[in-house]
Amino acid sequence: MAAAAAAAPPFAAGDSPPPTALLLPRTTTTTAGAAPAPRRSSASSRLHLLLTAALAVATSYLLLILPRTPLSAAPAPAAAARAQVKLEKPVVILISSDGFRFGYQHKAATPHIHRLIGNGTSAATGLVPIFPTLTFPNHYSIATGLYPSSHGIINNYFPDPISGDYFTMSSHEPKWWLGEPLWVTAADQGIQAATYFWPGSEVKKGSWDCPDKYCRHYNGSVPFEERVDAILGYFDLPSDEMPQFLTLYFEDPDHQGHQVGPDDPAITEAVVRIDEMIGRLIAGLEERGVFEDVNVILVGDHGMVGTCDKKLVFLDELAPWIKLEEDWVLSMTPLLAIRPPDDMSLPDVVAKMNEGLGSGKVENGEYLRMYLKEDLPSRLHYADSYRIPPIIGLPEEGYKVEMKRSDKNECGGAHGYDNAFFSMRTIFIAHGPRFEGGRVVPSFENVEIYNVIASILNLEPAPNNAPPSVEEPQMNSMRFCIQEHCQLELRGQNYFIAEFCDNVAVCQEEQVYCNQLQELPADYSVGNNSQN
Ligand SMILES: [Zn+2]
Ligand SMILES: [Zn+2]
C-alpha cells in the first residue's frame, strides 16, 4: 500500500542520516585549517527563528572538528587523511553522474570507481536523495545544502502561482534559484570556482556572474571526454588562476535508465563508460602529480526504478468521485502535483480522490495516496514553499500516474518517488586528502554535502538544512528565507516568500512587509494551504 510506504520510517534502524562530522576525519591537512563558524547576517540575527538556526549550524561545525564514533560498524581506516603535497590550496572536484542508482557500481568491473572507494570514504548503503527524487531539485540541494522548499527548485518544471511565470530546466533567472550554491559561497569569499555544467550554475548570483573562462553553458552534446579534459586543463593554469571548486556533470546513466529501466545491458555499458571517465580524470590528475592532493567527490542525484507491467493509475477513473481537469495537474508522475481552482475545498478534493483510490474500483488505486502538502510525512520536507502545489500524490514504487489510458509504451525507468525507497538511492564516494582511505559511513541525505565541501575549502557556509547533530532534530523543520531572511506577513499568515524579499533593504523584527505585497492579485491565496 502506498499509505504504508509513505508512513514507514525513511531509514532502516541504524541507518539514519549521521552528522556531517562522520564524513571528514578529525585529521586536517596543513592547508585546511580550522573549520570556520557559519555566517550570520545582521538581518538574521534579529529573527529569533534564524538565530536558533544559526546556533544549530554553529553546533554542527563544532561537531565537525570533534572526533565522533561512526554510527555503524565500519572497517578500520586503511589510511588517515593525508597532507597535501603539491597543491598550495585545498581543491574539490564535485562530479555528478545523473541517475547513478546505488548498486550500479557492482554491475560490471568499475576499477576506477572502486579505486576511489577503496582509498576513500563512501556511504555504505548509498546517498539519500531529497524528495522529490528529481534531477534539478537534487542537484541544487547538493549545491546549497537546502531542501527544495528552501531553495525554490521544487520540481524540474513548475509554474509560479503568483506571477504565473513558468520554470523550466533552462530558466536561468535568479528569481527562481534561492539559497546560496557553493560556487557563489566560493566567489563571495574570494575563491575561484569553475562549473562544467550543474543545475543553477549559469545563474548570476552574488559575486558569481558565470564567467566564460570558468562557467560552461549547458550543452548535452559535448562529449564526456571533452568535459573531463577541460577540468584537467584548469590544473595547468598558474596557481592564482586555478579554481579550487570544480563541478563536472554526466547525463548518464539516467538517460539510459529512463529508456530501458535499471536492469538492462545498456545500463551496464553506461556505467562502464562513466567509470572510464573517472579513470580518465584520475590519469590526468596523476600525470600532473596532483591526484592525491585533490578531493574528488563522486555523487549521483537519485536512483532509478523499472516501470512496467501495467503499474499504472489513471486519473480519469476517479470521475465518479471527482472530475479532475488536466490543467489542475501541474506534474503527473511519479510526483503527482495538483492545484485545483481557488474556489474548491482542498481537503474535499483530497478526500474524494482517496475515497475513489481506496474503493477497489480504480485499477491500482491502492498504490496511490493523496495528501494535502502539509499532511505529507514531515521527513519529506515538502510543504513550506508557496511554489509547492497544495495537493501531492505519492505513488508506490514503480507505479506511474496517467490521465487516461493510452497505447504508449509503458516500460522503462523512472525516479521522483518517495526518497525512502532504496531504489532512489545513489552513490557518495569521496577520495582525497580530507577523506580517510577505506572508510565507510552510514547513508546520509545529500543536503549534508554543502557543509562538507565548505569545510574542505575553508569557506564560511551559508545557513542550510543539513542536520547539525542528533541533538537538534528540530533544525530540519525550520523554514528559511535564505536570500534576505525576510518574513512576509500575507493575509494574516506567515509565509517565507524569498523572491518578495529581493528588494527589501531592512528586515524588521519578526515581520517584514515587502514592498511588492500590493502586487499580489486581490483574490490570491497561497494554495489555500493555511486553511487546513
Ligand atoms: Zn537526474
Ligand atoms: Zn531522469
Side-chain angles (χ1 to χ4, degrees), residues 441-465:
V441 298
S443 294
F444 58 92
E445 282 192 326
N446 65 16
V447 290
E448 299 217 26
I449 293 172
Y450 173 90
N451 279 346
V452 171
I453 295 175
S455 173
I456 294 172
L457 297 175
N458 300 318
L459 294 169
E460 290 183 17
N464 62 72
N465 294 141

Side-chain angles (χ1 to χ4, degrees), residues 94 96 98 134-144 151 153 155-156 167-172 177-178 180-184 195-203 205 208 215-216 218 245 247-251 301-302:
L94 176 64
S96 166
D98 202 309
L134 296 168
T135 298
F136 269 51
N138 270 280
H139 275 97
Y140 205 52
S141 284
I142 293 167
T144 59
H151 68 47
I153 308 302
N155 202 326
N156 286 338
F167 175 85
T168 71
M169 290 188 277
S170 47
S171 297
H172 302 313
W177 304 82
L178 313 179
E180 185 179 297
L182 278 158
W183 46 87
V184 175
T195 54
Y196 209 119
F197 306 160
W198 201 278
S201 62
E202 293 167 62
V203 178
K205 209 175 211 310
W208 177 256
C215 172
R216 304 292 174 126
Y218 183 69
F245 174 66
T247 72
L248 174 58
Y249 170 78
F250 303 115
E251 291 83 353
D301 51 348
H302 51 70

Side-chain angles (χ1 to χ4, degrees), residues 89-93 182-195 207-216 234-235 237-247 453 457 459:
K89 293 178 274 191
V91 174
V92 174
I93 305 177
L182 278 158
W183 46 87
V184 175
T185 305
D188 282 353
Q189 295 177 44
I191 283 186
Q192 189 61 60
T195 54
S207 308
W208 177 256
D209 59 356
C210 188
D212 287 343
K213 184 174 169 183
Y214 294 104
C215 172
R216 304 292 174 126
Y234 285 119
F235 289 85
L237 292 174
S239 174
D240 59 335
E241 292 175 37
M242 211 186 81
Q244 283 181 255
F245 174 66
L246 306 96
T247 72
I453 295 175
L457 297 175
L459 294 169

Side-chain angles (χ1 to χ4, degrees), residues 221-233:
S221 66
V222 177
F224 291 172
E225 287 82 356
E226 196 176 319
R227 306 180 194 190
V228 172
D229 293 351
I231 291 294
L232 290 170

Side-chain angles (χ1 to χ4, degrees), residues 17-21 55-57 59-61 63-64 68 448 466-476:
T20 302
L55 281 170
V57 176
T59 311
S60 92
Y61 270 78
L63 287 170
L64 232 173
R68 297 273 302 191
E448 299 217 26
S469 77
V470 288
E471 290 81 25
E472 297 281 354
Q474 75 277 22
M475 175 77 173
N476 286 338

